[in-house]
C-alpha cells in the first residue's frame, strides 16, 4: 500500500469527475512525489485540480452552512455572506 503521513485522503464523488479521492498534502513537493509514485508504482493516471478551502456561508434565513466543494455553492440560493478560514499570527 501507499502510506505517507504527509497526505490526507478522503473518498469522494463528483458530478463532473465521477468517484475518486480528495487528497490533501503538506506542500507541493509532497504532492509531486505522491502523484509520481501513483503513476510509476501503480500505473494510475491522475487528474489534479485546484485546491478548494471549505467555506461557511450565511444564507437568507441567517443559517450557517458549510460548502465542501465548488458544486455545493449553487445549492444555496440566497447568500448573505461567505466566510473562509483565516489565521491571525505574529511573527517574532
Amino acid at each position: 500500500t501507499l502510506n505517507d503521513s504527509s497526505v490526507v485522503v478522503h473518498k469522494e464523488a463528483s458530478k463532473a469527475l465521477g468517484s475518486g479521492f480528495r487528497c490533501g498534502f503538506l506542500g507541493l513537493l509532497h504532492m509531486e512525489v505522491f502523484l509520481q509514485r501513483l503513476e510509476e508504482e501503480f500505473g494510475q493516471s491522475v487528474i489534479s485540480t485546484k485546491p478548494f478551502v471549505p467555506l461557511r456561508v450565511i444564507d437568507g434565513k441567517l443559517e450557517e452552512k458549510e460548502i465542501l466543494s465548488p458544486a455545493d455553492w449553487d445549492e444555496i440560493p440566497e447568500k448573505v455572506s461567505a466566510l473562509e478560514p483565516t489565521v491571525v499570527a505574529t511573527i517574532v
Side-chain angles (χ1 to χ4, degrees), residues 26-55:
L26 288 180
L28 291 176
L29 177 62
H30 294 282
M31 182 184 75
E32 289 176 20
V33 170
F34 188 82
L35 297 179
Q36 184 179 10
R37 287 184 64 196
L38 278 175
E39 290 175 359
E40 291 178 1
E41 296 177 21
F42 298 95
Q44 296 295 309
S45 60
V46 177
I47 298 173
S48 61
T49 59
K50 293 183 178 182
F52 182 79
V53 176
L55 302 172

Side-chain angles (χ1 to χ4, degrees), residues 52-72:
F52 182 79
V53 176
L55 302 172
R56 295 203 183 276
V57 174
I58 309 296
D59 65 10
K61 297 176 185 174
L62 300 180
E63 295 177 356
E64 188 175 298
K65 299 186 178 183
E66 188 173 39
I67 305 265
L68 297 175
S69 82
D72 297 340

Side-chain angles (χ1 to χ4, degrees), residues 1-11 21-38 42 46:
T1 61
L2 187 59
N3 294 321
D4 191 336
S5 61
S6 67
V7 179
V8 177
V9 179
H10 299 284
K11 199 169 195 175
F21 298 93
R22 178 183 293 241
C23 302
F25 303 94
L26 288 180
L28 291 176
L29 177 62
H30 294 282
M31 182 184 75
E32 289 176 20
V33 170
F34 188 82
L35 297 179
Q36 184 179 10
R37 287 184 64 196
L38 278 175
F42 298 95
V46 177

